[in-house]
Amino acid sequence: KRFAVHARSGILAGLKASENRKTPPLHHDFVYRLQAERPELEVILNGGVCSQQDLDRARQRGLEVMIGRWAVQHPWALADEHTLASGRGAVFQEYLDYARKELRDGREDHLLMLSDPLRNLFAGIEKCKEYRRVISTLGTSPREGGLERFETVMVEAA
């Protein structure tokens, strides 16, 4: 039996979703205790894992880990050795090739959505804000300017 257990209790009345991500305390210890007391269960920790140290701590206890916001906000923190050696530019280029194909094949109508996975690729480095600003100029209109506009904006951002 496999269970994903969120380490933070959601308060359904009186708090906005954003407040629910901060106000109720995290209880990783409850999830660790569940894993220890019920070893026949496959327990997956969800909630509040936002560093390599948090990830390592949970995995050392035999837990699988769901990461969400950390992966979106700091994707480079999860890069493997090969990716780190290749550099962000190589990741960017590979994704740009993928995006070109999606646009050519008509599978992606929303340019901002297509560019969104790259929004935080350069988080923490010089000109990161400029990079995000350029990406945001894609707007929200479907296929506004098509493939050429997407390529121009993404190359400018890099």
Side-chain angles (χ1 to χ4, degrees), residues 4-92:
V5 181
H6 204 287
R8 188 186 313 270
S9 298
I11 298 173
L12 301 178
L15 289 181
K16 299 178 202 168
S18 61
E19 294 170 325
N20 249 320
R21 288 190 289 270
K22 298 174 189 152
T23 302
L26 279 168
H27 289 290
H28 288 167
D29 55 319
F30 291 179
V31 182
Y32 297 152
R33 192 174 83 215
L34 174 64
Q35 174 72 15
E37 292 177 3
R38 300 291 306 272
E40 74 278 10
L41 301 178
E42 189 175 342
V43 178
I44 303 164
L45 172 63
N46 185 14
V49 176
C50 52
S51 71
Q52 189 65 48
Q53 183 181 4
D54 293 341
L55 180 61
D56 292 344
R57 184 179 309 118
R59 296 191 80 197
Q60 286 169 359
R61 293 174 178 256
L63 293 168
E64 290 186 43
V65 182
M66 293 176 83
I67 52 174
R69 282 181 184 77
W70 179 42
V72 171
Q73 294 168 350
H74 302 283
W76 199 247
L78 299 168
D80 62 19
E81 280 185 40
H82 173 73
T83 305
L84 290 171
S86 298
R88 295 175 207 237
V91 172
F92 175 84

